[in-house]
Amino acid sequence: MKPQDIVSGKAGSLWIFGYGSLVWKPDFKYKRSRVGHIQGYKRRFWHGDNFHRGNDELPGRVVTLMEDDDASTWGVAFEVTGAQVEESLKYLNVREAVRGGYATRAVDFFPEGGEEGEDRAPVTALVYIATEDNPLYLGPASPEEIGAQIAVCCGKTGHNLEYLLRLAEFMRRSCPHVDDPHLFAIEAAALAFVPYLLAAQ
């Protein structure tokens, strides 16, 4: 699927769904954003990162989406229009595809009810997903293993722990009604590992 295939309207409008670092750091211009969810996918720290949050020797762990009919994933969708469409796709191709190993898919995004008058109807959105056949895919591990790995890794964008904590903070602040046991178990495990790192210095 080409991202341009889901651009709609005369003005050329495109929604982009973020469920990882995009929720707090989109780094592209957009018309508006909405908190909401997609269905049929679960968010997991199963993807490796040897650029943004790790390196070749110590790859970090970042989130990807795994198909699961009974699951849903919460995040933020950004609407880009006009020239923003090409600019955002060009930027995200480097950030997510070239450096991250993510591919694109079209999904239905369900906005959360916000201000009165805001449309809650689902919209088609572009999402970046890293699959199991990706060379950087690390796969499942226990929260303790993932948390320890995240606690020690750092890449060109910053510490892997920052990525984890910012994502957990977003969920608590913007989606307080949503339980995310995978995310919060890894957060707890990573924070429990930090004193051992400090003691070893």
Side-chain angles (χ1 to χ4, degrees), residues 32-170:
R32 58 179 171 150
S33 64
R34 299 283 301 275
V35 172
H37 70 280
I38 63 172
Q39 297 176 344
Y41 292 93
K42 58 187 179 184
R43 175 172 42 212
R44 291 292 182 265
F45 276 87
W46 291 356
H47 190 52
D49 185 341
N50 62 357
F51 185 87
H52 296 289
R53 301 290 177 173
N55 53 49
D56 291 333
E57 289 72 34
L58 284 173
R61 274 191 180 257
V62 291
V63 289
T64 186
L65 296 178
M66 308 301 296
E67 292 186 15
D68 184 336
D69 291 341
D70 298 323
S72 62
T73 295
W74 285 77
V76 179
F78 303 90
E79 185 184 19
V80 291
T81 60
Q84 293 174 347
V85 175
E86 185 177 352
E87 291 169 2
S88 61
L89 291 177
K90 185 177 180 181
Y91 168 73
L92 289 171
N93 181 60
V94 174
R95 172 172 165 172
E96 305 292 339
V98 176
R99 292 175 178 165
Y102 289 74
T104 53
R105 290 186 190 173
V107 293
D108 289 329
F109 170 73
F110 297 85
E112 185 177 33
E115 299 177 5
E116 188 175 348
E118 280 192 314
D119 191 359
R120 298 183 63 177
V123 295
T124 301
L126 179 73
V127 65
Y128 288 81
I129 298 176
T131 56
E132 296 178 42
D133 57 2
N134 189 295
L136 290 171
Y137 180 79
L138 297 176
S142 69
E144 291 74 22
E145 290 176 284
I146 295 176
Q149 185 174 352
I150 287 174
V152 300
C153 288
C154 185
K156 296 184 185 299
T157 303
H159 289 280
N160 203 177
L161 184 60
E162 178 203 18
Y163 175 100
L164 167 64
L165 297 180
R166 283 186 179 272
L167 184 55
E169 178 189 23
F170 161 78

